[in-house]
């Protein structure tokens, strides 16, 4: 009798658990989560969302992707409705990657009308639609860069007696600005205030960037005062965006005035990105004296140059035929800004190659190695590639070997190894080819097609079968 009572108790408990636990716990043996979700998309009884919600599933990105894959061929609308619903379920949120995945799987980029169709289906069914659903839809519009559709969705919310929030307005405003419809973006920002919403820093940054891209840098400047009136203090991001717009518009005097304001503002002090943006603008105009003045001004403000500042000035001087000035400028960067020898001379090597002074670039690079100055990855890769293109694979190999001896090979473009190896093999420099293959093994650099077969055949013919097997084993992950 006690055993029978216990059996009845546990049967009752199991029945209760089956009603309360997520189906992933007690139904995994019957069907996968994705299969169950997909089947309930077709048992909606008038509402896909209600049917799914009764399951209370435990979602993850893999499960969501599987359902989308099942819907992809013929039922993208159902897939979209599932994705929107999944985005606000307890314990799960879509990652940025998943929005891109959904756009690809459901063909939203090619057929943006699918979003409008789903929203209209919500309306026709008359089911419960909430703000969270529209937020998910707008995030998909943002990922697919659908400004017109996003604006339509925002307006359609009124039909459901729903009010968009600041985040939703910001999505549409930014999309309009990127599209170039800054007038609509301004209208939406005014509409926010009318609806009792306060534009935030994200709103203003989008408007400022939109105005600047539309060539309305002076109008962007006026946004600063609007922000202050509404109690939203501009930060360095807003100032830098306006400054960049002024520079691109050629309003350099106004840009310098704004830079003055930033230097006096305290909370919006210019940083290295701000100063480098102004330097770039002067360099593009060939105004190197003014660019160097900004560099001095930068140091006077207590801000030090970085490798981007260095490359900007050095490349501009080289392109302008002022190579000697570029050399002299390196001393300034070293002494006054604390930039490393490696960053300075690597920038000069790249700049010399770009102005077709390969011989001088190679000489400088070898002097760096001799002086124990480590070149950066980009300079090393570009120089080695140039030597290969000039059919100087043997010189390239010895240079790569010297770089390897300094421990600087960690990030060199892996294609370069393959190009060098096939070049050495084809020219019967087999001793060097064997050394390079061993370096590749040490660095776990795979031999890439279309160079793979040719190099392998030549190495086998030269008696390096074991080495080839090791290379192939690494390629296969053995």
């Amino acid at each position: 009798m006690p055993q029978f009572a216990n059996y009845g108790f546990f049967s009752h408990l199991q029945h209760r658990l089956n009603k309360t636990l997520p189906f992933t716990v007690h139904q995994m043996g019957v069907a996968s989560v994705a299969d169950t979700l997909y089947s309930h998309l077709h048992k909606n009884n008038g509402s896909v969302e209600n049917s799914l919600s009764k399951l209370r599933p435990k979602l993850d990105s893999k499960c969501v992707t599987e359902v989308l894959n099942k819907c992809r061929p013929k039922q993208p609308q159902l897939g979209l409705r599932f994705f929107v619903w999944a985005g606000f379920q307890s314990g799960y949120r879509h990652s940025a990657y998943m929005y891109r995945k959904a756009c690809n799987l459901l063909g939203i980029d090619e057929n943006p009308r699918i979003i409008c169709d789903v929203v209209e289906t919500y309306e026709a069914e008359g089911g419960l639609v909430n703000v969270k659903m529209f937020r998910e839809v707008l995030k998909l519009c943002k990922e697919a860069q659908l400004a017109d559709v996003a604006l339509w969705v925002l307006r359609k919310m009124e039909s459901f007696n729903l009010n968009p929030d600041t985040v939703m307005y910001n999505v549409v405003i930014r999309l309009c600005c990127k599209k170039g419809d800054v007038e609509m973006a301004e209208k939406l920002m005014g509409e926010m205030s009318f609806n009792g919403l306060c534009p935030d820093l994200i709103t203003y940054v989008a408007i400022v960037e939109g105005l600047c891209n539309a060539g309305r840098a002076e109008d962007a400047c006026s946004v600063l005062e609007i922000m202050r009136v509404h109690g939203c203090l501009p930060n360095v991001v807003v100032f830098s965006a306006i400054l960049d717009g002024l520079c691109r518009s050629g309003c350099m005097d106004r840009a310098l005035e704004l830079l003055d304001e930033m230097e006096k503002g305290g909370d919006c002090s210019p940083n290295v990105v701000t100063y480098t943006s102004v330097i770039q603008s002067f360099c593009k105009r060939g105004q190197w004296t003014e660019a160097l003045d900004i560099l001095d001004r930068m140091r006077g403000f207590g801000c030090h140059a970085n490798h981007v500042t260095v490359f900007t000035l050095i490349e501009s001087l080289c392109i302008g035929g002022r190579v000697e000035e570029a050399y002299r400028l390196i001393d300034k960067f070293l002494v006054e800004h604390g930039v490393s020898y490696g960053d300075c001379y690597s920038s000069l090597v790249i700049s010399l190659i770009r102005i077709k002074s390969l011989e001088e670039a190679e000489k400088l690079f070898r002097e760096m190695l001799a002086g124990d100055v480590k070149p950066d990855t980009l300079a090393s890769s570009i120089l080695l590639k140039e030597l290969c293109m000039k059919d100087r694979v043997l010189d390239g190999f010895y240079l790569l070997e010297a770089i390897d001896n300094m421990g600087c090979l960690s990030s060199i473009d892996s294609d370069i190894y393959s190009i060098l190896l096939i070049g050495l093999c084809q020219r019967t420099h087999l001793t060097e080819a064997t050394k390079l293959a061993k370096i590749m093994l040490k660095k776990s650099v795979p031999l890439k097609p279309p160079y793979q077969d040719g190099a392998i055949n030549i190495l086998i013919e030269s008696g390096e079968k074991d080495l080839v097997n090791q290379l192939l084993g690494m390629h296969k992950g053995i």
Side-chain angles (χ1 to χ4, degrees):
M1 185 70 180
Q3 291 180 347
F4 179 78
N6 286 341
Y7 174 79
F9 169 76
F10 284 114
S11 295
H12 176 70
L13 178 62
Q14 183 64 45
H15 178 71
R16 291 286 302 274
L17 285 172
N18 285 348
K19 283 188 173 182
T20 57
L21 290 176
F23 76 87
T24 52
V25 175
H26 60 267
Q27 289 188 341
M28 282 302 293
V30 179
S32 72
V33 180
D35 286 339
T36 306
L37 286 166
Y38 180 70
S39 67
H40 273 71
L41 287 174
H42 301 83
K43 300 175 183 177
N44 54 70
N45 296 320
S47 174
V48 170
E49 291 70 28
N50 286 342
S51 178
L52 293 170
S53 295
K54 289 176 183 178
L55 295 172
R56 293 185 303 107
K58 185 178 179 182
L59 298 172
D60 58 30
S61 58
K62 183 178 179 182
C63 164
V64 171
T65 301
E66 288 179 4
V67 175
L68 294 183
N69 271 314
K70 291 175 182 294
C71 294
R72 172 172 53 171
K74 298 179 180 179
Q75 300 166 310
Q77 283 193 39
L78 274 180
L80 179 54
R81 291 185 70 168
F82 165 74
F83 186 84
V84 169
W85 169 85
F88 55 88
Q89 297 309 300
S90 177
Y92 174 76
R93 290 294 178 271
H94 295 311
S95 65
Y97 168 79
M98 284 303 298
Y99 288 103
R100 174 37 44 199
K101 188 82 172 177
C103 287
N104 291 338
L105 291 177
L106 301 175
I108 293 173
D109 298 291
E110 296 78 18
N111 180 28
R113 177 66 204 177
I114 184 177
I115 290 178
C116 303
D117 291 340
V118 165
V119 173
E120 287 174 346
T121 301
Y122 291 151
E123 187 176 25
E125 289 180 357
L128 182 63
V129 178
N130 57 44
V131 172
K132 292 179 181 178
M133 296 169 73
F134 275 95
R135 188 177 292 124
E136 292 301 316
V137 171
L138 284 172
K139 286 180 180 178
L140 285 167
C141 291
K142 176 184 175 183
E143 180 60 40
Q145 295 293 295
L146 302 174
D148 293 337
V149 175
L151 180 60
W152 181 88
V153 170
L154 192 75
R155 297 295 186 227
K156 196 66 178 175
M157 290 181 70
E158 186 177 347
S159 302
F160 296 84
N161 295 316
L162 297 174
N163 298 315
D165 58 20
T166 300
V167 174
M168 300 170 84
Y169 267 108
N170 284 346
V171 169
V172 184
I173 286 172
R174 182 167 289 279
L175 285 172
C176 287
C177 287
K178 286 187 176 181
K179 180 191 173 188
D181 191 359
V182 69
E183 291 80 10
M184 176 55 72
E186 290 177 295
K187 180 180 178 181
L188 289 171
M189 188 171 73
E191 185 180 298
M192 289 175 69
S193 300
F194 182 78
N195 291 335
L197 298 173
C198 293
D200 59 15
L201 199 57
I202 295 173
T203 319
Y204 288 117
V205 169
I207 290 291
V208 162
E209 290 177 347
L211 289 168
C212 290
N213 290 333
R216 295 170 54 188
E218 285 294 342
D219 290 337
C221 290
S222 65
V223 173
L224 293 173
E225 191 56 38
I226 296 173
M227 291 179 69
R228 294 185 179 108
V229 168
H230 287 87
C232 184
L233 294 178
N235 65 3
V236 68
V237 177
V238 177
F239 271 99
S240 296
I242 296 174
L243 191 64
D244 180 62
L246 289 168
C247 290
R248 284 189 282 115
S249 300
C251 306
M252 298 310 296
D253 290 339
R254 183 69 182 91
L256 293 178
E257 289 176 11
L258 188 61
L259 188 60
D260 281 333
E261 186 178 343
M262 292 181 72
E263 289 174 339
K264 296 171 184 175
D267 292 336
C268 296
S269 298
N271 56 28
V272 62
V273 176
T274 313
Y275 283 110
T276 301
S277 176
V278 181
I279 288 171
Q280 284 176 330
S281 296
F282 279 124
C283 285
K284 286 178 181 178
R285 291 167 174 75
Q287 295 176 272
W288 295 289
T289 301
E290 290 81 355
L292 293 172
D293 285 344
I294 297 296
L295 184 65
D296 290 335
R297 180 170 173 170
M298 180 180 182
R299 179 176 177 270
F301 192 71
C303 184
H304 295 290
N306 62 13
H307 69 283
V308 178
T309 322
V310 172
F311 184 75
T312 297
L313 274 163
I314 287 178
E315 183 188 42
S316 178
L317 288 168
C318 288
I319 290 173
R322 298 169 174 250
V323 176
E324 291 302 319
E325 286 185 52
Y327 274 99
R328 290 195 298 270
L329 184 59
I330 287 178
D331 291 332
K332 190 180 189 73
F333 281 124
L334 293 170
V335 175
E336 297 182 6
H337 291 267
V339 183
S340 71
Y341 279 97
D343 281 342
C344 289
Y345 284 113
S346 293
S347 294
L348 186 51
V349 167
I350 295 169
S351 300
L352 289 169
I353 292 173
R354 288 184 177 174
I355 63 170
K356 310 301 180 185
S357 295
L358 178 60
E359 184 178 345
E360 187 173 354
E362 184 181 355
K363 178 183 176 184
L364 176 59
F365 193 91
R366 293 186 184 280
E367 288 174 355
M368 290 173 66
L369 297 180
D372 205 30
V373 175
K374 289 188 176 182
D376 68 20
T377 298
L378 185 60
S380 302
S381 296
I382 290 177
L383 180 56
L384 288 169
K385 189 169 288 187
E386 282 293 316
L387 292 176
C388 290
M389 290 175 64
K390 298 293 183 183
D391 202 24
R392 293 175 53 193
V393 290
L394 195 59
D395 291 335
F397 165 74
Y398 286 123
L399 191 62
L400 183 140
E401 191 177 41
I403 299 170
D404 181 41
N405 290 335
M406 290 189 71
C408 302
L409 281 184
S410 57
S411 300
I412 287 181
D413 186 348
S414 59
D415 285 342
I416 292 173
Y417 291 91
S418 298
I419 294 170
L420 276 174
L421 185 61
I422 188 64
L424 291 169
C425 288
Q426 289 174 344
R427 290 157 186 79
T428 65
H429 298 304
L430 299 179
T431 301
E432 289 78 10
T434 302
K435 288 181 180 179
L436 179 57
K438 290 178 179 178
I439 291 175
M440 293 173 69
L441 284 172
K442 182 177 71 173
K443 300 291 182 182
S444 298
V445 178
L447 182 57
K448 291 189 173 183
Y451 317 104
Q452 183 176 329
D453 292 341
I456 284 174
N457 291 336
I458 294 172
L459 285 171
I460 289 175
E461 289 174 5
S462 66
E464 295 292 345
K465 187 175 181 179
D466 289 342
L467 184 59
V468 167
N469 288 335
Q470 291 180 65
L471 283 171
L472 291 175
M474 179 179 62
H475 181 74
K476 296 176 181 177
I478 298 175

